[in-house]
């Protein structure tokens, strides 16, 4: 029998906050760009989040104005509201 445990990033806002926190610790390259794999890998393998949780977190962060996601999906930019979120924590 397999017991179900609650997933810490099942809530998209919790995932978005974690992604913003991870992105803030990564040195941005040209024009403030943060390559998506720099936040994807730690989220999936270090924090044990799922791909669906990562996608929902990115979408939530974009909707809240914390990230700007490039149309290609290859990088994000941390926006001012996301930086303000970090200052509150």
């Amino acid at each position: 029998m397999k017991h179900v445990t609650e997933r810490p990033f099942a809530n998209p806002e919790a995932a978005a906050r974690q992604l913003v926190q991870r992105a803030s610790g990564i040195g941005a390259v040209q024009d403030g760009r943060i390559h998506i794999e720099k936040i994807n890998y730690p989220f999936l393998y270090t924090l044990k989040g799922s791909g669906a949780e990562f996608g929902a977190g990115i979408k939530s962060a974009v909707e809240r104005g914390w990230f700007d996601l490039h149309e290609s999906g290859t990088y994000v930019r941390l926006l001012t509201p996301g930086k303000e979120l970090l200052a509150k924590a």
Side-chain angles (χ1 to χ4, degrees), residues 6-69:
E6 188 170 324
R7 306 266 319 157
F9 304 115
N11 178 350
E13 184 178 352
R17 288 178 182 274
Q18 185 62 46
L19 291 170
V20 168
Q21 183 179 0
R22 292 283 170 174
S24 70
I26 296 171
V29 293
Q30 174 188 9
D31 197 25
R33 297 175 184 179
I34 301 168
H35 292 136
I36 201 81
E37 64 267 14
K38 300 283 186 171
I39 56 176
N40 181 297
Y41 182 84
F43 186 85
L44 296 177
Y45 295 100
T46 305
L47 300 174
K48 304 297 184 202
S50 71
E53 291 166 341
F54 178 79
I58 290 286
K59 183 178 178 184
S60 179
V62 169
E63 289 171 352
R64 295 173 191 281
W66 298 343
F67 276 157
D68 177 31
L69 177 65

Side-chain angles (χ1 to χ4, degrees), residues 65-86:
W66 298 343
F67 276 157
D68 177 31
L69 177 65
H70 188 263
E71 64 187 27
S72 68
T74 58
Y75 65 85
V76 295
R77 285 190 185 99
L78 186 59
L79 300 176
T80 302
K83 293 176 186 173
E84 291 171 358
L85 174 71
L86 294 169

